[in-house]
């Protein structure tokens, strides 16, 4: 069942707590329940406001983490959870760099937001992630262009926990309604595609960091 995620997080949600808003989100949750594909609603911080059962199943194997659970904040999960690469195939180029680009856009627009500032501090405290953000990301954006940083329409690789599915490409579809947009939220659905021909990625051992000493898609910094 679609749920409002992150109930144990102490930080208040930016979504207005009015009865009309809550009623709309509850009805939108019913809509998410009817979708067989992983679907979630996030706010400008990438806090997960709503998610359906397919989303919970996809990321249900993630081990406990103090700040980066997929049901709390999708951005944090992609960047900081050691299990992210076990579900998100081609993790560095396919998910980490695009989400760093999304974070850059969010902090450019909402730089005063304390949660976004906290994510920035966490990035800075990780030398590899900080190098990816400050050095690798600008190079990558120049290489792929602004269009390549968009999520809507992007095709990404998933490693579904159901072994019968195997590596499966999905297309990210932005289904944000006008009402959700006015609440500062967006809805994203991961629509699976025909998995034939999808390259089997190399799985990282559990606990191995997702970002190497320098991004493999960019040259190492010169001394």
């Amino acid at each position: 069942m679609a749920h409002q995620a992150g109930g144990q997080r102490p930080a208040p949600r930016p979504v207005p707590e009015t009865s009309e808003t809550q009623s709309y989100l509850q009805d939108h949750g019913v809509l998410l329940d009817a979708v067989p594909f992983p679907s979630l609603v996030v706010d400008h911080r990438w806090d997960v406001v709503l998610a359906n059962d397919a989303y919970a199943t996809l990321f249900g194997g993630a081990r406990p983490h103090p700040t980066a659970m997929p049901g709390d904040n999708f951005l944090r999960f992609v960047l900081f959870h050691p299990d992210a690469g076990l579900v998100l195939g081609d993790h560095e180029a396919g998910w980490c760099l695009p989400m760093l680009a999304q974070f850059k856009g969010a902090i450019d627009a909402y730089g005063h937001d304390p949660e976004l500032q906290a994510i920035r501090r966490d990035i800075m405290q990780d030398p590899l992630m900080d190098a990816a953000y400050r050095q690798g990301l600008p190079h990558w954006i120049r290489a792929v262009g602004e269009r390549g940083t968009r999520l809507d329409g992007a095709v990404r690789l998933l490693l579904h926990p159901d072994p019968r599915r195997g590596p499966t490409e999905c297309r990210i579809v932005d289904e944000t309604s006008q009402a959700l947009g006015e609440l500062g939220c967006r809805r994203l659905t991961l629509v699976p595609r025909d998995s034939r021909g999808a390259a089997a990625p190399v799985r990282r051992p559990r606990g191995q960091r997702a970002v190497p000493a320098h991004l493999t898609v960019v040259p190492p910094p010169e001394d």
Side-chain angles (χ1 to χ4, degrees):
M1 180 177 180
H3 58 281
Q4 290 196 12
Q8 296 180 351
R9 291 172 63 89
R13 294 293 186 185
V15 177
E17 295 290 337
T18 67
S19 58
E20 181 179 357
T21 296
Q22 292 305 307
S23 178
Y24 175 78
L25 290 176
Q26 289 172 6
D27 291 341
H28 205 94
V30 174
L31 178 61
L32 260 66
D33 279 339
V35 177
F37 312 130
S39 190
L40 71 162
V41 173
V42 296
D43 63 15
H44 70 279
R45 302 167 169 176
W46 286 89
D47 281 342
V48 179
V49 178
L50 295 170
N52 64 3
D53 274 347
Y55 178 88
T57 298
L58 180 63
F59 298 106
R63 293 170 294 175
H65 190 282
T67 63
M69 292 304 291
D72 289 339
N73 186 289
F74 186 70
L75 174 68
R76 281 186 173 277
F77 172 73
V78 173
L79 298 184
F80 301 120
H81 201 295
D83 293 344
L86 301 177
V87 181
L88 305 174
D90 190 21
H91 177 251
E92 178 191 309
W95 294 94
C96 189
L97 283 167
M99 289 304 295
L100 281 174
Q102 292 292 313
F103 171 72
K104 181 179 184 302
I107 204 166
D108 286 347
Y110 306 100
H112 62 283
D113 187 283
E115 175 61 21
L116 292 176
Q117 288 295 331
I119 294 174
R120 181 66 186 100
R121 288 193 297 271
D122 287 347
I123 291 174
M124 292 174 63
Q125 290 172 5
D126 183 329
L128 304 183
M129 187 66 69
D130 190 48
Y133 182 70
R134 292 187 300 103
Q135 301 172 15
L137 182 63
H139 180 97
W140 179 77
I141 291 176
R142 287 193 299 270
V144 302
E146 290 293 336
R147 183 178 182 84
T149 67
R150 301 173 191 166
L151 292 182
D152 186 32
V155 175
R156 300 288 184 254
L157 186 63
L158 291 178
L159 310 176
H160 200 281
D162 185 343
R164 295 171 298 179
R165 300 191 183 187
T168 304
E169 287 185 335
C170 73
R171 188 179 297 280
I172 302 174
V173 178
D174 191 325
E175 299 185 275
T176 305
S177 65
Q178 180 177 346
L180 278 180
E182 290 173 352
L183 292 173
C185 296
R186 62 194 300 191
R187 176 185 168 188
L188 300 171
T189 301
L190 309 180
V191 181
R193 306 174 75 218
D194 189 340
S195 60
R196 288 175 297 179
V202 177
R203 288 177 176 267
R204 295 183 177 88
R206 284 184 176 272
Q208 182 174 337
R209 295 308 307 267
V211 180
H214 70 274
L215 294 174
T216 59
V217 295
V218 299
E222 297 180 358
D223 295 331

